[in-house]
Amino acid sequence: MSEKKSLPEKLDGVHIHFVGIKGTGMAALVEILFHNGAIITGSDVSERFYTDEILEKLGLSALPFSEKNITDKIDYVVYSSAYKLDKNPDLIAAVKKNIPCLLYTEALGSYSSRAYSCGICGVHGKTSTTGLVGTILKELDLPSQVLAGSIINSFGNTCTYTSPILKNKAENTKEKQIFVAETCEYQRHFMSFCPQKIILTSVEPDHQDYYPTYEDIRDAFVDYICKLPENGELIYCADDKGAVETANLAKSKRKDIVLIPYGEKACGDFKLVFEGVKNELNLFSVDLFNSEKEKFSFGIKIPGKHEVMDACAALALVCLLLKEFNKNPLDYKNQIKKGLENFCGGKRRSEVVGNKKNINDSPVLIMDDYGHHPTAVKTTLEGFREFYKGRKIIVDFMSHTYSRTQALLDEFSKCFDCVDMLILHKIYSSARENPDDFDITGKTLYEKVKEHLSQKNSKNEQSNLKSENVFYFEEILDAKDFVVAKLNEPLSSEYPDGYLFVTMGAGDNWKIGKVVLEEKND
């Protein structure tokens, strides 16, 4: 097989076959390369995913895995890390035909090398921050493409464009198109990316199957930051301990890297002041390059202080890009404000699934969120509590991966205190791990949460959630009748705005939200 690990400069008419085309990142890259003129085919499992919508909008559909997919007309194969060159029939055939095969991350990195590329990374907030950047850039006169790891509602798909697609490599920075992409830390995938600027939202333990210790994952981020060019800019969250430590470690290795903090603890142009919720907007202000330090106010429609933090990161990157391309950010305040307010979340990111009325005519809002790390779960739910103060909040949570649940069990048990009722299920496993290797189960988390709440009660510590309001159903849809009954109960005056039912996690418990929404009142 050829050792070539890059895509050609010109993609018009180049036939690229994607193995695992329904993967989130894969579908996003398909969209980018399709609009660059490439001929696309792909294969995957038959199960339907939300990415099928992305492919269908492009007139594409996934073929079953088969060596017959690999014809002599195919120039390149791009494959997901979930599939192996010596196991998957498409890949085995491609190797036999000596067709260049690139991992998704290698293909994305190759594409990033031809643009003025910015990588958005962090354990939490990557997708929202990328979506916010793209939604702002849609309002500006900068030539840009943005690739997110999920469908972004304000994009329409996973990508957005503000200019004709980049066809040829430009040597002059000012002639290059801006390419902003969500970049993933798992298995150091982001090391293939070629960043000119980086946003770092957060660093803490995660992906314990690959990074056994905090230091392991932290050092991966340090190495990624050190890929910045000379005097490259790192935009990092000053409120996140891990991000601060990581930024300082990178700076100790590379003195030329320019550190640009954002957040409430930041000093300088992107010091954030959170102003609270008003008229269904999360309001905040920043200094924004003003010599007199006049604060400029902005707002987003998405609940949660963590989303405001992501908006501040996006604002910082956009302002620095404007300066990079010889434009004054202060001339674009109104466009930036409009872009921020146009952002309405992404698929499985504080996503509104639907609204209905229960049998008592009380409103029921159903939402879904991908939060699967204790920090993300806690901050997202606290955001919902602040934004939806007049609603009774019922959460259905499914933990993802045995290794993460076991390593962070104590943290998971403490992240639901602000809700009114909690439903738990079995652990949603990963193909990367064997459940038999772990002693932990979904029931273990259930018992740990109840133990935590009982301890709080014995100490007279405040918590919305009480031990008797935590429930367990092994299978997701086994809880359907229970949830429907609970959402039909009369509400006290404490909850004048009705119910909020949230499905949360990286598993497939989002299905119960869909079923509950479609349930007819008798």
Side-chain angles (χ1 to χ4, degrees), residues 203-457:
V203 179
E204 62 177 298
D206 198 14
H207 305 298
Q208 283 79 6
D209 60 320
Y210 188 79
Y211 299 114
T213 69
Y214 162 72
E215 289 75 19
D216 292 329
I217 194 169
R218 179 202 65 195
D219 291 348
F221 281 105
V222 170
D223 289 345
Y224 179 47
I225 292 164
C226 287
K227 289 199 69 179
L228 285 167
E230 187 175 359
N231 299 315
E233 293 171 319
L234 172 67
I235 304 162
Y236 72 97
C237 183
D239 296 70
D240 185 87
K241 182 180 177 182
V244 172
E245 180 183 4
T246 302
N248 289 332
L249 279 172
K251 181 75 171 179
S252 70
K253 289 190 171 188
R254 285 271 311 278
K255 304 296 184 186
D256 63 292
I257 290 176
V258 179
L259 299 184
I260 299 173
Y262 70 90
E264 291 183 303
K265 294 182 179 178
C267 297
D269 298 316
F270 304 108
K271 179 175 176 57
L272 179 147
V273 175
F274 181 61
E275 298 177 352
V277 180
K278 185 177 180 181
N279 298 326
E280 297 188 343
L281 279 177
N282 249 328
L283 300 174
F284 67 100
S285 59
V286 294
D287 295 331
L288 197 61
F289 299 116
N290 190 281
S291 58
E292 297 176 2
K293 293 302 177 188
E294 174 189 351
K295 290 198 176 295
F296 297 98
S297 292
F298 302 93
I300 57 172
K301 296 174 182 175
I302 307 300
K305 192 173 180 180
H306 62 295
E307 294 284 4
V308 169
M309 205 69 77
D310 293 342
C312 189
L315 172 69
L317 177 58
V318 168
C319 287
L320 293 170
L321 285 171
L322 285 165
K323 290 183 73 176
E324 189 74 42
F325 284 73
N326 297 323
K327 298 177 186 292
N328 183 356
L330 296 178
D331 294 336
Y332 291 84
K333 296 191 301 293
N334 292 334
Q335 292 94 321
I336 292 171
K337 180 180 174 69
K338 182 180 178 183
L340 287 167
E341 292 183 8
N342 283 344
F343 179 70
C344 48
K347 190 76 173 177
R348 304 217 62 211
R349 270 71 177 181
S350 298
E351 178 187 10
V352 174
V353 176
N355 288 273
K356 64 183 298 185
K357 293 289 185 73
N358 70 8
I359 59 174
N360 300 302
D361 211 34
S362 294
V364 177
L365 172 61
I366 299 174
M367 298 184 71
D368 180 52
D369 191 87
Y370 192 67
H372 55 278
H373 185 285
T375 302
V377 172
K378 185 174 188 295
T379 55
T380 300
L381 293 177
E382 287 175 348
F384 288 165
R385 172 58 71 193
E386 173 68 18
F387 209 78
Y388 300 106
K389 289 180 179 177
R391 290 184 183 264
K392 183 171 185 176
I393 301 178
I394 300 177
V395 173
D396 184 288
F397 178 74
M398 189 176 207
S399 189
H400 180 232
T401 79
Y402 284 82
S403 55
R404 180 185 288 116
T405 309
Q406 180 169 285
L408 303 176
L409 181 64
D410 192 54
E411 290 89 340
F412 270 120
S413 72
K414 300 173 182 176
C415 62
F416 303 100
D417 290 3
C418 71
V419 309
D420 299 293
M421 186 176 293
L422 175 65
I423 300 158
L424 296 169
H425 304 285
K426 65 182 181 183
I427 294 171
Y428 188 82
S429 187
S430 164
R432 303 187 300 262
E433 59 187 14
N434 181 3
D436 293 337
D437 293 337
F438 300 89
D439 296 327
I440 198 168
T441 67
K443 204 70 179 286
T444 311
L445 176 57
Y446 163 76
E447 292 165 351
K448 188 70 173 178
V449 172
K450 290 179 73 71
E451 177 188 332
H452 160 69
L453 293 171
S454 296
Q455 289 174 352
K456 284 184 74 76
N457 183 60

Side-chain angles (χ1 to χ4, degrees), residues 133-246:
V133 171
T135 309
I136 299 170
L137 285 173
K138 285 179 73 173
E139 303 300 322
L140 308 184
D141 55 353
L142 289 174
S144 65
Q145 298 175 65
V146 181
L147 181 154
S150 180
I151 291 177
I152 302 297
N153 296 328
S154 49
F155 290 9
N157 266 12
T158 55
C159 307
T160 185
Y161 313 97
T162 62
S163 67
I165 298 300
L166 181 72
K167 297 290 187 181
N168 299 303
K169 188 171 183 178
E171 298 303 329
N172 188 321
T173 295
K174 302 302 184 289
E175 295 175 358
K176 284 190 175 184
Q177 191 167 48
I178 295 165
F179 179 48
V180 180
E182 178 178 338
T183 57
C184 180
E185 71 278 6
Y186 184 63
Q187 293 184 341
R188 291 178 167 248
H189 284 159
F190 49 26
M191 293 303 290
S192 296
F193 198 77
C194 302
Q196 300 295 315
K197 300 184 194 300
I198 289 175
I199 288 178
L200 175 63
T201 62
S202 54
V203 179
E204 62 177 298
D206 198 14
H207 305 298
Q208 283 79 6
D209 60 320
Y210 188 79
Y211 299 114
T213 69
Y214 162 72
E215 289 75 19
D216 292 329
I217 194 169
R218 179 202 65 195
D219 291 348
F221 281 105
V222 170
D223 289 345
Y224 179 47
I225 292 164
C226 287
K227 289 199 69 179
L228 285 167
E230 187 175 359
N231 299 315
E233 293 171 319
L234 172 67
I235 304 162
Y236 72 97
C237 183
D239 296 70
D240 185 87
K241 182 180 177 182
V244 172
E245 180 183 4
T246 302

Side-chain angles (χ1 to χ4, degrees), residues 32-224:
I32 286 277
L33 301 186
F34 178 88
H35 288 297
N36 272 268
I39 298 167
I40 303 293
T41 56
S43 54
D44 213 315
V45 296
S46 59
E47 183 181 353
R48 186 170 179 84
F49 296 94
Y50 75 85
T51 50
D52 280 287
E53 299 173 27
I54 300 170
L55 300 175
E56 287 163 2
K57 286 181 181 179
L58 302 175
L60 303 172
S61 60
L63 301 166
F65 294 125
S66 170
E67 62 181 18
K68 295 178 181 178
N69 296 331
I70 307 303
T71 68
D72 292 336
K73 294 181 180 180
I74 292 175
D75 300 301
Y76 293 83
V77 170
V78 175
Y79 65 102
S80 161
S81 61
Y83 302 102
K84 305 303 179 187
L85 290 171
D86 59 346
K87 302 290 185 183
N88 179 273
D90 297 51
L91 294 174
I92 291 171
V95 170
K96 285 181 181 178
K97 288 179 177 290
N98 204 36
I99 296 172
C101 295
L102 288 78
L103 272 168
Y104 158 75
T105 48
E106 293 170 338
L108 179 64
S110 172
Y111 189 81
S112 71
S113 68
R114 70 186 64 197
Y116 191 91
S117 296
C118 304
I120 297 178
C121 68
V123 172
H124 315 297
K126 294 186 290 291
T127 301
S128 292
T129 304
T130 307
L132 281 155
V133 171
T135 309
I136 299 170
L137 285 173
K138 285 179 73 173
E139 303 300 322
L140 308 184
D141 55 353
L142 289 174
S144 65
Q145 298 175 65
V146 181
L147 181 154
S150 180
I151 291 177
I152 302 297
N153 296 328
S154 49
F155 290 9
N157 266 12
T158 55
C159 307
T160 185
Y161 313 97
T162 62
S163 67
I165 298 300
L166 181 72
K167 297 290 187 181
N168 299 303
K169 188 171 183 178
E171 298 303 329
N172 188 321
T173 295
K174 302 302 184 289
E175 295 175 358
K176 284 190 175 184
Q177 191 167 48
I178 295 165
F179 179 48
V180 180
E182 178 178 338
T183 57
C184 180
E185 71 278 6
Y186 184 63
Q187 293 184 341
R188 291 178 167 248
H189 284 159
F190 49 26
M191 293 303 290
S192 296
F193 198 77
C194 302
Q196 300 295 315
K197 300 184 194 300
I198 289 175
I199 288 178
L200 175 63
T201 62
S202 54
V203 179
E204 62 177 298
D206 198 14
H207 305 298
Q208 283 79 6
D209 60 320
Y210 188 79
Y211 299 114
T213 69
Y214 162 72
E215 289 75 19
D216 292 329
I217 194 169
R218 179 202 65 195
D219 291 348
F221 281 105
V222 170
D223 289 345
Y224 179 47

Side-chain angles (χ1 to χ4, degrees), residues 472-493:
Y472 185 83
F473 293 85
E474 182 77 5
E475 301 298 332
I476 299 158
L477 293 182
D478 286 351
K480 190 262 287 185
D481 291 343
F482 174 82
V483 172
V484 170
K486 288 298 179 183
L487 292 174
N488 278 319
E489 289 181 353
L491 287 165
S492 67
S493 59

